[in-house]
Amino acid sequence: MIFLRFFLLFSLFSLAFSHEHLNSHHLGRPLIIEYSENVETQYKEFEEELRLQCTSWRFAVEANNLSPWKTIPQECADYVKDYMMGRAYIVDLERVSKEAGNYAKSVELSGDGKDIWVFDIDETLLSNLPYYAEHGYGLEVFGHVKFDKWVEKAMAPAIEPSLKLYEEVLGLGFKVILLTGRSERHRNFTIENLINAGFRDWHQLILRASDDHGKLATIYKSEKRSEMAKDGNRIIGNSGDQWSDLLGSQMSIRSFKLPNPMYYIP
Amino acid sequence: MIFLRFFLLFSLFSLAFSHEHLNSHHLGRPLIIEYSENVETQYKEFEEELRLQCTSWRFAVEANNLSPWKTIPQECADYVKDYMMGRAYIVDLERVSKEAGNYAKSVELSGDGKDIWVFDIDETLLSNLPYYAEHGYGLEVFGHVKFDKWVEKAMAPAIEPSLKLYEEVLGLGFKVILLTGRSERHRNFTIENLINAGFRDWHQLILRASDDHGKLATIYKSEKRSEMAKDGNRIIGNSGDQWSDLLGSQMSIRSFKLPNPMYYIP
């Protein structure tokens, strides 16, 4: 490595020097090398600016500042891929799991079995990353038919930090309700997948019935939370990767937004 | 530059070579150079990890995943400073202003003068960055007395992208209501500051009255929004840097969360 660098520098050095002789009116500065350094600098600046813009976009997603969007920005395709496949996504998942766990432990439960923790499923308990890796990490427009085929494989792995939180809240005595935008006709695949991924002992699994289709997720999930509250339940915690899992009526005392820069569900 | 690099490398090269002669049992590899490269690599890895952790913390702030916090994490002091003083903060402010502006333009106003846009003041319309720059960008515990003195100077500059949005929504025919956690006794200083910074023509400026002190910001601001709604107003948009500006009852149709990693108001 050091040899290579040495010879490379030496060659560039000689080249610059010979060049200088040919262009003596150029103030004796090694222009070729300066040019190549400029290109490198410009490329780095371009990369830095792109990272800044895509980080800013991701912040806007996570802070719920964006209008409904169908696909990730084309120029952020590599950024989103790197985020999802690298340590940053895991670090973010671990942080939200830990924060939620600390909160869960801090709550004094009534002991009447009416303290509820609501979990969304996709990108909250189960990861569809193997699917999205095949479909541009959100760069492709969402395809129901293809995604349904993936759901029916029941192969989505657990999001490990969420499984940890799940077991923690169960252990603390919360009643767990799973509230998903998946269709009722996927109930058995979903149960199979959840069990294979290590989830167990939920109190209720709520999927979209036929008259829920066509409702915005925020409306559908708010309605379901209202039903929970009517039964005298207290929604103490709610974990979801979409703001439509968390906002609306009968909001949880505290909500936890898991990261998801790949898609948006209104 | 090129000369310096050349001679430095050459010196290291010679040193490594001479070292190799003294340690011939060491497989002939230039250990000193490898060591110095390791230190550099380790330092870069450490810096990269710190950046990752602090970015993750900032996400948790912006996604409202954290419990009330009093100061920024010690290890993120430089990160927060760099963010606030660099381009990233400006890019984020511009994005949220642009998104809010696009939304404002998309709304069909009733024309009865009851379409409201609510703005928070501190870190939303006015920037206290000159104050926080003197107080560790959130590393110091918030000091009411010191901050009050700053408020009474009425010198906080406008957040330019917010001023742009402010003028846009005024121009579209929204009624602007300013809803701030500042105390009623700072009304005149606040008006002076707002006008000096370029803000004008607000419909109402709501500050904390004596019986609002001690209320959580979420409660106080929800109560004030409820009063607006009772008057038949429709809260179409709400801009704030704190989740306590945006959440609670009578939430706006759409809310816009401005970035603020320096402090948290529950």
Side-chain angles (χ1 to χ4, degrees):
Chain A
M1 187 59 207
I2 194 73
F3 287 96
L4 187 69
R5 203 189 289 178
F6 173 76
F7 284 116
L8 194 68
L9 260 176
F10 187 75
S11 316
L12 280 171
F13 187 71
S14 319
L15 197 70
F17 237 85
S18 66
H19 192 80
E20 198 181 344
H21 280 286
L22 293 171
N23 300 282
S24 53
H25 59 286
H26 272 160
L27 302 169
R29 294 168 66 206
L31 290 184
I32 275 187
I33 286 173
E34 288 212 335
Y35 177 69
S36 84
E37 278 187 351
N38 266 348
V39 168
E40 205 183 309
T41 308
Q42 278 171 14
Y43 182 71
K44 270 189 190 156
E45 277 170 8
F46 171 77
E47 272 212 315
E48 196 50 47
E49 179 65 21
L50 193 61
R51 182 172 164 153
L52 193 78
Q53 293 291 344
C54 294
T55 303
S56 172
W57 174 81
R58 187 158 65 90
F59 263 87
V61 169
E62 298 302 338
N64 201 27
N65 283 336
L66 298 187
S67 303
W69 47 277
K70 283 208 182 326
T71 57
I72 63 172
Q74 178 84 44
E75 66 274 20
C76 297
D78 285 344
Y79 175 90
V80 171
K81 180 185 171 182
D82 289 351
Y83 171 75
M84 293 302 296
M85 301 305 280
R87 250 176 69 68
Y89 180 50
I90 294 164
V91 167
D92 285 346
L93 289 171
E94 281 170 353
R95 185 178 304 267
V96 66
S97 164
K98 200 179 140 206
E99 287 291 333
N102 287 345
Y103 164 67
K105 275 177 267 178
S106 77
V107 177
E108 208 168 315
L109 296 197
S110 62
D112 62 0
K114 289 186 179 295
D115 297 304
I116 300 287
W117 198 288
V118 179
F119 284 99
D120 166 58
I121 295 182
D122 292 298
E123 267 54 69
T124 300
L125 297 184
L126 297 179
S127 172
N128 299 304
L129 200 43
Y131 172 84
Y132 284 99
E134 299 286 315
H135 294 88
Y137 302 91
L139 197 59
E140 281 181 27
V141 176
F142 182 75
H144 276 286
V145 179
K146 283 182 197 166
F147 188 71
D148 282 0
K149 274 189 191 157
W150 159 254
V151 166
E152 288 161 15
K153 284 185 186 166
M155 277 174 58
I159 291 182
E160 290 298 332
S162 296
L163 179 54
K164 190 166 169 280
L165 173 67
Y166 185 96
E167 284 170 349
E168 252 178 82
V169 301
L170 268 187
L172 287 164
F174 282 89
K175 227 157 69 175
V176 166
I177 296 185
L178 310 183
L179 176 51
T180 173
R182 289 186 177 197
S183 165
E184 188 63 60
R185 73 189 173 83
H186 283 139
R187 178 176 287 273
N188 289 340
F189 295 112
T190 301
I191 291 174
E192 183 192 338
N193 198 154
L194 285 165
I195 286 173
N196 286 343
F199 297 95
R200 60 183 175 88
D201 294 343
W202 55 83
H203 174 69
Q204 205 183 346
L205 166 60
I206 306 174
L207 305 99
R208 273 185 197 256
S210 52
D211 57 342
D212 295 319
H213 291 284
K215 283 179 192 164
L216 287 178
T218 313
I219 306 291
Y220 155 66
K221 296 204 166 183
S222 291
E223 284 175 2
K224 294 299 166 187
R225 284 197 305 272
S226 297
E227 286 170 23
M228 293 175 208
K230 264 187 214 149
D231 294 346
N233 292 308
R234 290 171 298 275
I235 307 173
I236 311 277
N238 186 1
S239 299
D241 66 295
Q242 299 289 321
W243 280 101
S244 54
D245 298 329
L246 309 173
L247 295 177
S249 53
Q250 288 297 334
M251 280 169 59
S252 176
I253 296 176
R254 272 192 69 187
S255 295
F256 295 91
K257 169 73 179 73
L258 282 80
N260 185 358
M262 297 188 300
Y263 59 86
Y264 179 90
I265 300 174
Chain B
M1 188 62 205
I2 194 75
F3 288 97
L4 188 69
R5 203 188 289 177
F6 171 76
F7 283 116
L8 193 69
L9 260 176
F10 186 75
S11 316
L12 280 170
F13 187 71
S14 319
L15 197 70
F17 238 86
S18 67
H19 193 79
E20 198 182 345
H21 280 288
L22 293 170
N23 301 280
S24 54
H25 59 287
H26 271 160
L27 302 171
R29 294 167 67 206
L31 290 184
I32 275 186
I33 286 173
E34 288 214 336
Y35 176 69
S36 83
E37 280 190 348
N38 265 348
V39 167
E40 203 183 309
T41 307
Q42 278 170 16
Y43 182 72
K44 269 191 190 157
E45 276 170 8
F46 170 77
E47 273 212 315
E48 194 51 45
E49 179 64 22
L50 193 62
R51 180 171 166 153
L52 193 77
Q53 293 292 343
C54 295
T55 304
S56 172
W57 174 81
R58 186 159 65 88
F59 264 87
V61 169
E62 298 302 339
N64 201 27
N65 284 334
L66 297 187
S67 302
W69 48 277
K70 282 209 186 318
T71 57
I72 63 172
Q74 179 83 46
E75 66 274 20
C76 297
D78 285 343
Y79 174 91
V80 171
K81 181 185 171 183
D82 289 350
Y83 171 75
M84 293 302 297
M85 301 304 282
R87 249 177 69 69
Y89 179 51
I90 294 164
V91 167
D92 285 346
L93 289 172
E94 282 171 353
R95 186 179 302 268
V96 67
S97 164
K98 199 179 140 206
E99 287 290 334
N102 287 345
Y103 164 67
K105 275 176 267 177
S106 77
V107 177
E108 207 167 318
L109 296 197
S110 62
D112 60 0
K114 290 185 179 294
D115 297 304
I116 300 286
W117 198 288
V118 179
F119 283 99
D120 167 57
I121 294 182
D122 292 298
E123 266 56 69
T124 300
L125 296 186
L126 297 179
S127 172
N128 299 304
L129 201 43
Y131 172 84
Y132 284 98
E134 299 287 313
H135 295 88
Y137 302 91
L139 197 60
E140 280 182 27
V141 176
F142 181 75
H144 277 286
V145 180
K146 283 182 198 166
F147 188 71
D148 281 1
K149 273 188 192 157
W150 160 254
V151 166
E152 288 160 16
K153 285 185 187 166
M155 277 173 58
I159 291 182
E160 289 298 332
S162 296
L163 179 55
K164 189 166 170 280
L165 173 66
Y166 185 97
E167 285 170 348
E168 251 178 83
V169 301
L170 268 187
L172 287 164
F174 283 89
K175 227 158 71 176
V176 165
I177 296 185
L178 310 183
L179 176 52
T180 173
R182 289 185 176 198
S183 164
E184 189 62 60
R185 72 189 173 84
H186 283 138
R187 178 176 288 272
N188 289 341
F189 295 112
T190 302
I191 291 173
E192 184 193 338
N193 198 153
L194 285 165
I195 286 173
N196 286 344
F199 297 95
R200 59 182 177 89
D201 294 343
W202 54 84
H203 174 70
Q204 202 183 348
L205 165 61
I206 307 173
L207 303 100
R208 273 184 199 257
S210 53
D211 58 342
D212 294 321
H213 290 285
K215 282 179 192 165
L216 288 179
T218 312
I219 306 291
Y220 156 66
K221 295 205 166 183
S222 291
E223 284 175 3
K224 294 299 165 190
R225 283 197 304 272
S226 297
E227 286 170 24
M228 294 174 209
K230 263 186 215 147
D231 294 345
N233 291 309
R234 290 170 299 274
I235 307 172
I236 312 277
N238 186 2
S239 299
D241 66 296
Q242 299 289 322
W243 280 101
S244 54
D245 297 329
L246 310 174
L247 295 178
S249 54
Q250 290 296 336
M251 280 167 58
S252 175
I253 297 175
R254 272 192 71 185
S255 296
F256 296 91
K257 169 75 180 72
L258 282 80
N260 185 357
M262 297 189 300
Y263 59 85
Y264 178 92
I265 300 174

